[in-house]
Amino acid sequence: MKRSSGILLPISSLPSAYGIGTFGKAAYEFADFLKASGQKYWQVLPLGPTSYGDSPYQSFSTFAGNPYFIDLEMLIEEKLLTKKEVEAENWGTNPRYVDYGQIYSSRFKILEKAKERGYKDALGEISHFKKNNPWVENYALFMSIKKHFGQLSWQEWPEEDIRLHKPEAVEKYKKQLEQDIEFFVYIQYLFFKQWAKLKKYINDLGIEIIGDLPIYVALDSCDVWAEPEFFSLDEENYPVEVAGVPPDYFSEDGQLWGNPCYNWKALKKDGYRWWIRRIEGAAKLYDVLRIDHFRGFDEYWAVPAGQKTAKKGKWKKGPGMDLVGLLSEKFPNIEFIAEDLGEPSPTVVELLHDSKWPGMKVLEFAFDSGEPNNYQPHTYDKNCVCYTGTHDNATVMEWYQEANKKDKEYASKYLGISKSEGFNWGMIRGGMSSVAILFVAQMQDFLGLGKYNRINIPGTDSGNWQWRLIDGEITDDLAEKIYKMSVMYDRTKKKETPKKPAKSKAKK
């Protein structure tokens, strides 16, 4: 990784006429904006299908793509849909926020029409897609059975044999739900076809995609249902231990995430092949992988299933360099970023050092107390990624609006921010000018947006993942301003000015 910078903007946050960002025109325009801004990276959130709370960190599959991101305009151009059909559906009324309930009721109905018209003609391509993505048939079966049982979690499926993934039951439902299975395979085919085209366009501009890989997978996922032996489940495939973090300064109950912990002993015995397959899948989507909750590779907080809070958990040893080293060795062309936020233990610090992966720094954390800490830019070494804030933080201007007077004054003094510059631009300058190998800011921070414009509030299960750009908010002037700052701090190269043709000395 070379000294560079990028912008964090989820695909869902792109503008579109149909309620949520997609792989359509706005995505290509944003890639052009990144290029004009001198940015090397576009950071997105996980691209998987969302489940509980619409969170991309609680997905039905670690391999599959989100059907919401399939661009409907492209399907209209391919004559798989008509404009009239798409516009007849209700996609929500507020262009600033995604209405997930409305999209859920409209999106699959529309995609069914596309499947009816396009499936047979694409059979050859679909067969090739299934061969290259062997996970897809199990996923399609899982989603079809969920639909059959009224979207119940697989833990609550009323038929025990299919809940336990017994071969006879699997074969039974493959035959019984053949049409639904075809549909779920088809929409994955469409997702990956559109994403491959968009990613090539982005990469051809010299821009790379940073993707998030949650360390855990959702309990209600094809991953856990199909391969229960790799998770902390009992003989009936119910969770024994679930993941979270212990009580701390911010939460007296800790955080109870509910994801099943891994059976690291079984994973190691299998040569960590499940993790290798997982990274292989992610490598089809992203160029750089940010491993969320890197600490879990060193040690993880395991809470007995059934607890209401995370208080009664305990630390258990993770795989450490046994897995981290293997991933680096197996994937030399993938760059990894370790999400090591919080107060890492000495063993986490040692693991990060041994991995040689860059850790993370968040500027908003640098000024919360006015006390020296390792989020202040003068403490950085080069091998880190500096963020103004992540998707889990307030925007810079919301932080400024809500911070106490002492913290605001300290931040302004430390960063040398003037009123004419604006606090958000001063914070961005502080990150751009740091020694961190990579600097990333949320799009909202470049726009100077305050309250009601954040992506997620951790610990809440509603009202998140909804924020969107509005048409016209990103401009050529903004791109030029970002570009000039990126050039100033050597995060991009200055564009070459075309040379004027030399004057001819020939006699007339």
Side-chain angles (χ1 to χ4, degrees):
M1 189 178 287
K2 296 180 180 179
R3 184 173 174 83
S4 50
S5 55
I7 296 177
L8 193 166
L9 182 75
I11 295 295
S12 60
S13 294
L14 290 163
S16 80
Y18 306 119
I20 194 169
T22 71
F23 299 149
K25 181 184 176 186
Y28 288 83
E29 290 175 346
F30 188 70
D32 292 338
F33 174 80
L34 288 168
K35 178 69 174 178
S37 305
Q39 303 307 290
K40 172 69 175 173
Y41 293 97
W42 179 355
Q43 181 164 340
V44 296
L45 299 186
L47 298 179
T50 51
S51 59
Y52 177 73
D54 308 307
S55 169
Y57 294 88
Q58 294 286 344
S59 180
F60 291 128
S61 167
T62 193
F63 297 100
N66 193 334
Y68 294 164
F69 298 158
I70 296 169
D71 186 64
L72 302 182
E73 292 287 353
M74 290 183 180
L75 301 187
I76 292 169
E77 289 171 10
E78 294 172 21
K79 302 194 184 313
L80 297 173
L81 298 172
T82 68
K83 190 89 169 172
K84 185 177 180 181
E85 286 171 336
V86 175
E87 291 182 344
E89 298 295 332
N90 186 344
W91 303 103
T93 57
N94 190 336
R96 178 61 91 191
Y97 303 108
V98 178
D99 184 339
Y100 283 101
Q102 197 60 60
I103 288 174
Y104 179 80
S105 63
S106 300
R107 171 67 60 150
F108 289 99
K109 189 195 310 182
I110 281 291
L111 290 176
E112 284 274 13
K113 294 181 188 294
K115 187 259 180 179
E116 288 167 11
R117 292 165 190 159
Y119 186 82
K120 286 184 179 177
D121 289 341
L123 271 176
E125 290 183 14
I126 291 169
S127 178
H128 182 72
F129 172 73
K130 288 196 289 188
K131 184 178 179 181
N132 289 329
N133 296 275
W135 53 266
V136 74
E137 291 187 86
N138 229 346
Y139 166 74
L141 173 63
F142 174 79
M143 295 303 294
S144 299
I145 299 171
K146 277 185 70 67
K147 180 182 176 185
H148 176 74
F149 288 131
Q151 301 303 329
L152 285 175
S153 164
W154 70 269
Q155 296 263 297
E156 300 172 27
W157 288 351
E159 293 182 24
E160 197 71 359
D161 284 357
I162 193 61
R163 191 186 71 77
L164 293 174
H165 200 263
K166 292 193 173 177
E168 306 82 17
V170 167
E171 290 305 313
K172 168 191 165 185
Y173 278 100
K174 276 184 179 178
K175 292 175 183 175
Q176 183 176 329
L177 303 177
E178 184 179 1
Q179 290 299 309
D180 284 332
I181 290 169
E182 284 183 358
F183 171 67
F184 284 107
V185 168
Y186 184 67
I187 58 179
Q188 287 306 303
Y189 155 75
L190 291 178
F191 173 97
F192 279 90
K193 180 182 176 182
Q194 289 193 1
W195 175 249
K197 182 181 176 184
L198 173 61
K199 187 174 183 297
K200 183 179 186 305
Y201 182 85
I202 294 166
N203 291 161
D204 285 349
L205 292 175
I207 298 163
E208 296 186 9
I209 302 289
I210 301 175
D212 257 18
L213 191 74
I215 191 169
Y216 293 111
V217 298
L219 175 60
D220 187 21
S221 68
C222 178
D223 312 299
V224 183
W225 172 67
E227 299 184 272
E229 65 272 22
F230 296 134
F231 301 89
S232 183
L233 308 179
D234 64 19
E235 290 145 359
E236 297 298 313
N237 288 356
Y238 294 114
V240 174
E241 293 175 325
V242 296
V245 289
D248 57 19
Y249 174 80
F250 299 102
S251 172
E252 63 180 21
D253 290 331
Q255 293 181 40
L256 186 64
W257 298 334
N259 308 72
C261 293
Y262 289 108
N263 182 341
W264 286 115
K265 186 177 180 180
L267 285 162
K268 181 175 182 176
K269 186 178 179 181
D270 192 52
Y272 295 111
R273 286 189 294 176
W274 184 88
W275 266 95
I276 291 169
R277 283 188 280 119
R278 191 180 188 202
I279 302 298
E280 284 173 343
K284 293 181 180 180
L285 297 172
Y286 317 116
D287 303 297
V288 180
L289 282 178
R290 190 193 85 123
I291 304 294
D292 195 51
H293 196 58
F294 175 78
R295 179 173 190 166
F297 283 151
D298 175 62
E299 55 182 359
Y300 59 98
W301 189 249
V303 183
Q307 292 293 311
K308 300 298 183 184
T309 74
K311 284 182 177 180
K312 292 187 178 179
K314 62 180 178 180
W315 288 112
K316 291 194 170 184
K317 195 65 184 164
M321 277 302 291
D322 202 30
L323 175 57
V324 172
L326 179 66
L327 297 183
S328 294
E329 177 190 332
K330 289 280 187 184
F331 300 97
N333 296 324
I334 290 282
E335 298 203 63
F336 293 91
I337 297 170
E339 187 274 286
D340 61 335
L341 301 175
E343 296 183 10
S345 67
T347 53
V348 174
V349 173
E350 182 181 359
L351 180 61
L352 183 63
H353 176 268
D354 291 345
S355 74
K356 298 183 172 58
W357 296 357
M360 287 176 53
K361 306 292 183 182
V362 174
L363 280 173
E364 288 181 15
F365 295 165
F367 311 110
D368 274 343
S369 66
E371 297 294 329
N373 60 67
N374 65 1
Y375 293 111
Q376 294 171 337
H378 72 269
T379 68
Y380 298 176
D381 60 26
K382 289 183 180 180
N383 193 35
C384 70
V385 182
C386 174
Y387 291 81
T388 46
T390 73
H391 63 276
D392 282 335
N393 298 116
T395 67
V396 164
M397 291 312 298
E398 182 182 1
W399 181 92
Y400 186 76
Q401 290 160 359
E402 296 182 347
N404 63 50
K405 185 179 178 181
K406 183 180 176 182
D407 289 348
K408 287 191 281 190
E409 287 177 348
Y410 176 60
S412 296
K413 185 177 180 181
Y414 181 98
L415 296 167
I417 300 174
S418 66
K419 286 185 179 180
S420 60
E421 179 182 30
F423 187 83
N424 61 312
W425 282 103
M427 184 80 91
I428 290 167
R429 176 174 50 75
M432 278 274 192
S433 62
S434 74
V435 298
I437 193 71
L438 174 61
F439 168 72
V440 178
Q442 296 190 83
M443 191 65 234
Q444 299 96 303
D445 294 339
F446 288 109
L447 295 170
L449 299 177
K451 201 169 182 180
Y452 308 119
N453 290 284
R454 68 185 291 168
I455 304 254
N456 179 49
I457 301 175
T460 62
D461 57 12
S462 63
N464 297 311
W465 322 107
Q466 296 178 357
W467 181 85
R468 300 176 67 201
L469 273 173
I470 292 176
D471 271 328
E473 280 189 303
I474 57 173
T475 63
D476 292 343
D477 287 345
L478 179 59
E480 183 68 12
K481 186 172 183 178
I482 298 170
Y483 164 74
K484 285 180 177 178
M485 185 178 282
S486 302
V487 169
M488 179 180 291
Y489 294 113
D490 196 29
R491 294 196 179 273
T492 192
K493 299 299 179 187
K494 191 172 183 179
K495 298 169 189 171
E496 288 188 20
T497 305
K499 293 181 180 179
K500 293 181 180 179
K503 291 183 179 179
S504 173
K505 295 181 180 179
K507 293 181 180 179
K508 294 183 180 178

